[in-house]
Amino acid sequence: MFTKRLFIAAAAMAITTFAAPTWADNGLMTIIVNDPSNPYWLTEGQVAQKAAEKLGYSAKVSAHKGDTNTESQLIDTAITNKSKAIILDPANADGSVGSVKKPSRPTSRCLSSTPS
């Protein structure tokens, strides 16, 4: 009986320990926002970073400041750095489509609030 209780306690402790994502390293998540000099975009990046870290990712926040060329370079850098996910606040509805659908990029799942 004691052995069974010890096993159950050890199993519960292991599940609790290994299920906690706060220390896990699930990889890099890249967050690309518009312009952090605007408090809205700054907060958006900070909230996304905290959420990513809570899920066990390391997070890098960068900004394109409305420039689609910078946006494309930031996406390329995120891919080069092997980001597991990229959260993108697009520079503009039309120009950002080319950045995301660039032929040299690997096929991925894209969730967007911008109609395609």
Side-chain angles (χ1 to χ4, degrees):
M1 191 69 169
F2 177 73
T3 305
K4 187 176 180 181
R5 285 186 194 159
L6 182 62
F7 176 75
I8 292 170
M13 195 165 85
I15 289 170
T16 304
T17 302
F18 293 115
T22 54
W23 56 266
D25 183 13
N26 292 329
L28 174 65
M29 187 179 292
T30 299
I31 302 152
I32 304 170
V33 299
N34 198 323
D35 187 353
S37 67
N38 178 320
Y40 176 84
W41 304 120
L42 176 66
T43 303
E44 177 187 56
Q46 291 172 336
V47 169
Q49 181 177 18
K50 286 179 186 173
E53 290 170 349
K54 186 174 182 182
L55 292 170
Y57 293 89
S58 57
K60 179 178 186 326
V61 179
S62 52
H64 54 64
K65 296 185 180 179
D67 181 2
T68 55
N69 290 324
T70 301
E71 176 184 71
S72 183
Q73 291 170 353
L74 291 171
I75 294 170
D76 285 338
T77 299
I79 292 168
T80 300
N81 291 338
K82 301 189 184 317
S83 290
K84 300 287 184 179
I86 301 170
I87 298 174
L88 173 65
D89 194 325
N92 72 54
D94 298 324
S96 295
V97 173
S99 294
V100 173
K101 292 185 176 181
K102 193 173 179 181
S104 63
R105 298 214 168 103
T107 305
S108 61
R109 189 170 180 194
C110 180
L111 303 174
S112 173
S113 61
T114 305
S116 45

